[in-house]
Amino acid sequence: QHYYITNNLRNSMKYSGSHVDCFVLLAYIVLTTGVTTAAEYEFKHETGQSKHDGGATSGYFYTLVGSEGETGEHDCVGDRAGASSCTVTDEKNIGDLQGVRIRNSGEDSWTFVKMEVEIDGVVWGVWEGSLQVDDYRTKDITFTRTAAQYKITYSIWDDSNARTRDPQYVKIKGTKGETNENLCDENFDVTNQDVACVFISDVNIGDYECVSLRTSGTDGIDLIKVTVQINDTVVHTLVPKSNQDFIGLDNRETKEFCREDTLTLRITCDDRLELYLDGVQQQHSALGIWSQESTFEEITTELEIIALKCVNTGGAKGIIASLEKEDGDVVYYTDTYWKCSSVLEEGWQLSGFQDTSDNWHNAIKVGDNGNPTWGYIGQISHDADWIWARAGGTVYCRGVVFIKGKNINPNTYFRHFVNITTNHYTPLNPHDYI
């Protein structure tokens, strides 16, 4: 291919001579070699305090080891009498830095107690301990990674008013700290496209918790999704709430979005179950098999209403369910605070439905979980009760799981809710809501 390109360049020229040859040679070099960016690695080390710990200025050859390969071997020249540094440059893409191999080519042993490496000015790894590189020996160390690459992907809504020409700013927060606010100087003047903001930070934030987004101008920006990725792992995905089209940042606004626990619902009924979560019907292969739990995962903690219809085809009647967090803590389950009816009413499965008619009453407990009639079903919490309506072979039941920012009437709604913050199954004081 190189021969073909070169000869076509030559044949397309109307002139001949050394100038053409020079042009072709330069074109050939550009096309075949490409562009390579070298990385600068600075090693900062602390030599031990013993009499013979100090080593020579040179003669220690470093090979950097990464997830995708290794650099060449470099004599890292520097003072090794105490705390000092040495620098090498290499063009090889080694992926994520993992460690370094040090070969002593002479008869001066060297003992160091700490080493950290910076890549283009950012601390990417640290090692602490005590390691002696003896005469003509090779030693390997593995770094504890301190720096991280953050990639925040903005999915901009498909609307002409959703875009902006103004720069965006982002900050990442964790259990141990937070990054600096970073400028995302990308092109956000687009719609229905993803725009990625990438930066590196050597701040140890601990476990990821939140992302803070700031828009700097007066245009605002509307997003249908935001994805936060640390190194190779997606740690947070933001999507609009069920009643919103987009995630909006108004003029010069800052918003913080924290990752919430998701919930898992385990449920069954004797005999056929129809289930709605905040008015949206759910599907599962076991909904018609009372002896198996139906499991629904990745449920947002903003869930308000579990509504269900159960059809009994004969024999024992019952409904049982529990809701748990990612760590397995049970935060909600069926009991007599649920409301049930045997009368079908329009909109009974919706969050805004008012179950105030005489048809709706507190559920009747028909058995403990594990009783001889049903035994234990799957991993449904042992604290859950089997419940039913006062009468009827087909019943409709509702549980109010969590109501955020609303006043509720205890005579209308279920009288407790889950405090997601404290993980407590908390009874409500009716006087607080009347």
Side-chain angles (χ1 to χ4, degrees):
Q1 290 179 340
H2 300 154
Y3 176 83
Y4 173 82
I5 293 170
T6 304
N7 277 273
N8 272 273
L9 284 169
R10 188 189 302 276
N11 293 335
S12 67
M13 302 298 291
K14 296 182 180 179
Y15 303 96
S16 61
S18 60
H19 293 293
V20 174
D21 292 338
C22 180
F23 172 80
V24 172
L25 176 60
L26 288 173
Y28 182 80
I29 291 172
V30 171
L31 289 168
T32 56
T33 61
V35 178
T36 303
T37 302
E40 182 179 85
Y41 301 90
E42 181 178 5
F43 295 89
K44 296 181 178 180
H45 52 257
E46 293 182 14
T47 297
Q49 300 299 311
S50 297
K51 181 178 179 180
H52 301 292
D53 284 353
T57 302
S58 62
Y60 305 98
F61 288 84
Y62 287 40
T63 303
L64 289 129
V65 180
S67 59
E68 299 179 11
E70 301 178 355
T71 66
E73 205 178 41
H74 300 273
D75 188 0
C76 201
V77 179
D79 182 10
R80 288 178 172 82
S84 187
S85 66
C86 64
T87 303
V88 301
T89 302
D90 196 280
E91 296 181 349
K92 179 69 178 295
N93 177 18
I94 65 172
D96 293 334
L97 179 66
Q98 295 178 338
V100 63
R101 183 179 305 119
I102 303 174
R103 179 175 66 85
N104 185 351
S105 64
E107 297 181 352
D108 289 309
S109 66
W110 172 42
T111 300
F112 58 90
V113 294
K114 182 178 180 180
M115 181 177 289
E116 68 179 36
V117 60
E118 292 185 2
I119 304 177
D120 296 329
V122 177
V123 178
W124 278 88
V126 175
W127 180 92
E128 293 185 85
S130 180
L131 184 69
Q132 183 177 27
V133 187
D134 294 321
D135 305 349
Y136 302 106
R137 296 296 181 90
T138 300
K139 294 294 180 71
D140 291 272
I141 63 173
T142 300
F143 290 117
T144 299
R145 185 169 183 174
T146 58
Q149 176 177 279
Y150 298 90
K151 180 180 180 181
I152 295 83
T153 303
Y154 298 72
S155 299
I156 302 176
W157 191 33
D158 187 14
D159 186 278
S160 59
N161 295 320
R163 62 192 185 186
T164 179
R165 297 180 180 179
D166 299 315
Q168 304 299 301
Y169 292 83
V170 63
K171 180 192 296 185
I172 303 297
K173 296 184 178 182
T175 55
K176 295 182 179 179
E178 60 186 47
T179 68
N180 294 325
E181 188 178 59
N182 288 269
L183 168 65
C184 298
D185 195 15
E186 309 294 334
N187 179 21
F188 291 91
D189 192 18
V190 295
T191 60
N192 198 29
Q193 292 187 34
D194 291 346
V195 179
C197 172
V198 180
F199 67 92
I200 295 171
S201 174
D202 56 10
V203 176
N204 179 13
I205 68 166
D207 294 330
Y208 171 85
E209 288 188 329
C210 308
V211 58
S212 176
L213 305 178
R214 178 167 73 90
T215 183
S216 61
T218 58
D219 287 344
I221 186 170
D222 300 326
L223 309 165
I224 56 172
K225 185 168 72 171
V226 178
T227 303
V228 181
Q229 182 174 324
I230 302 179
N231 299 327
D232 298 323
T233 304
V234 174
V235 296
H236 196 181
T237 301
L238 302 170
V239 295
K241 295 180 181 179
S242 57
N243 62 341
Q244 297 176 339
D245 293 324
F246 55 82
I247 302 166
L249 273 74
D250 292 328
N251 304 340
R252 298 190 177 93
E253 184 177 25
T254 300
K255 284 187 178 180
E256 183 174 278
F257 302 90
C258 295
R259 184 172 61 181
E260 297 178 335
D261 288 316
T262 59
L263 304 174
T264 296
L265 174 66
R266 305 180 187 278
I267 189 169
T268 191
C269 91
D270 191 350
D271 290 282
R272 294 199 306 267
L273 178 66
E274 186 177 301
L275 177 68
Y276 299 84
L277 301 180
D278 284 341
V280 179
Q281 187 170 3
Q282 309 296 308
Q283 301 296 333
H284 194 283
S285 59
L287 288 176
I289 307 172
W290 71 263
S291 58
Q292 296 181 23
E293 73 171 42
S294 296
T295 305
F296 301 89
E297 299 177 328
E298 300 296 323
I299 301 172
T300 175
T301 54
E302 293 187 353
L303 175 68
E304 293 183 353
I305 301 293
I306 300 174
L308 61 88
K309 171 185 176 182
C310 185
V311 179
N312 177 256
T313 57
K317 306 171 184 177
I319 300 160
I320 192 167
S322 63
L323 192 66
E324 63 189 49
K325 296 178 68 176
E326 292 177 355
D327 59 8
D329 286 348
V330 176
V331 293
Y332 182 57
Y333 45 79
T334 46
D335 60 13
T336 56
Y337 283 105
W338 282 60
K339 283 198 167 182
C340 295
S341 170
S342 58
V343 178
L344 174 62
E345 295 183 42
E346 184 177 356
W348 67 272
Q349 77 278 24
L350 302 178
S351 298
F353 177 75
Q354 301 295 310
D355 45 10
T356 55
S357 73
D358 292 338
N359 297 322
W360 291 90
H361 304 279
N362 282 52
I364 302 299
K365 178 179 176 179
V366 294
D368 295 319
N369 193 2
N371 72 73
T373 302
W374 293 287
Y376 290 108
I377 306 295
Q379 299 179 56
I380 296 175
S381 172
H382 292 190
D383 292 328
D385 296 328
W386 285 89
I387 63 171
W388 199 255
R390 291 183 177 181
T394 298
V395 299
Y396 309 86
C397 295
R398 292 164 53 85
V400 178
V401 179
F402 181 58
I403 292 184
K404 200 170 186 178
K406 295 181 180 179
N407 291 323
I408 64 172
N409 183 336
N411 296 317
T412 302
Y413 287 98
F414 160 72
R415 294 193 177 190
H416 64 263
F417 75 115
V418 179
N419 186 323
I420 298 297
T421 303
T422 62
N423 301 338
H424 290 158
Y425 185 68
T426 310
L428 297 181
N429 180 348
H431 298 290
D432 291 341
Y433 296 90
I434 294 176

